[in-house]
Amino acid sequence: MNQSAGTGRELLRHAVATIAYRGGKALRGAPESFAMFRVGDATRAPVKLVAHVGDLFDWALLMAQGKTAWKDSEPLPWDQEVRRFFHTLAAFDAYLATNEPLHVTVEKLFQGPVADALTHVGQIAMLRRVAGAPTRSENFAMAEIVVGRTGADQTAPRREFD
């Protein structure tokens, strides 16, 4: 059993792979109507949340590269926005996989864009349930989450339950 903590950069890459896994589960198989589902006037539609997560990882990449910029993207159609979600994760992870310097601390990257993305992936999963299209619960500690696997092609769940 590997008990090595690794570097902060490796842990950050694992967090990105976790977002890809959990996000993939929350996005996969959602009915078309889900994209615009809203609980109330003050809530974001899922497509807007997915766009925001894409913006978060665009921002994370810029931060890592020593640049500062934020862009609020207008949501694309659902399928395109889901592809963008995985593309922005992959771009950020690819930078983390290099020997290029990080121009901000790992802690700042985690507490800002990465933690915010985890929150929004949880919101999307919760909205699926409220919209009547829930995903199955899962023991995520048993999931096969692999550093560098940031696309929609995630492994099947190992331990789901109702």
Side-chain angles (χ1 to χ4, degrees), residues 6-103:
T7 68
R9 201 166 179 145
E10 290 166 341
L11 184 58
L12 198 56
R13 289 192 70 207
H14 188 79
V16 171
T18 300
I19 291 167
Y21 183 89
R22 286 178 172 237
K25 183 170 182 138
L27 299 171
R28 192 171 30 261
E32 193 169 317
S33 61
F34 179 66
M36 299 306 294
F37 176 78
R38 293 185 54 200
V39 176
D41 293 339
T43 62
R44 290 180 184 164
V47 72
K48 184 91 170 150
L49 289 170
V50 178
H52 180 63
V53 173
D55 292 342
L56 287 169
F57 281 101
D58 284 343
W59 177 48
L61 179 58
L62 289 172
M63 289 172 65
Q65 295 169 335
K67 302 170 190 167
T68 56
W70 174 259
K71 181 182 174 192
D72 259 329
S73 298
E74 281 299 314
L76 300 168
W78 180 256
D79 289 344
Q80 291 176 33
E81 204 57 70
V82 169
R83 282 193 298 278
R84 179 173 172 253
F85 169 87
F86 291 110
H87 173 78
T88 60
L89 287 172
F92 180 57
D93 182 69
Y95 188 83
L96 292 174
T98 70
N99 290 324
E100 292 294 320
L102 294 179
H103 294 275

Side-chain angles (χ1 to χ4, degrees), residues 130-142:
V130 173
T135 59
R136 292 191 68 200
S137 298
E138 181 175 348
N139 179 343
F140 288 106
M142 301 297 291

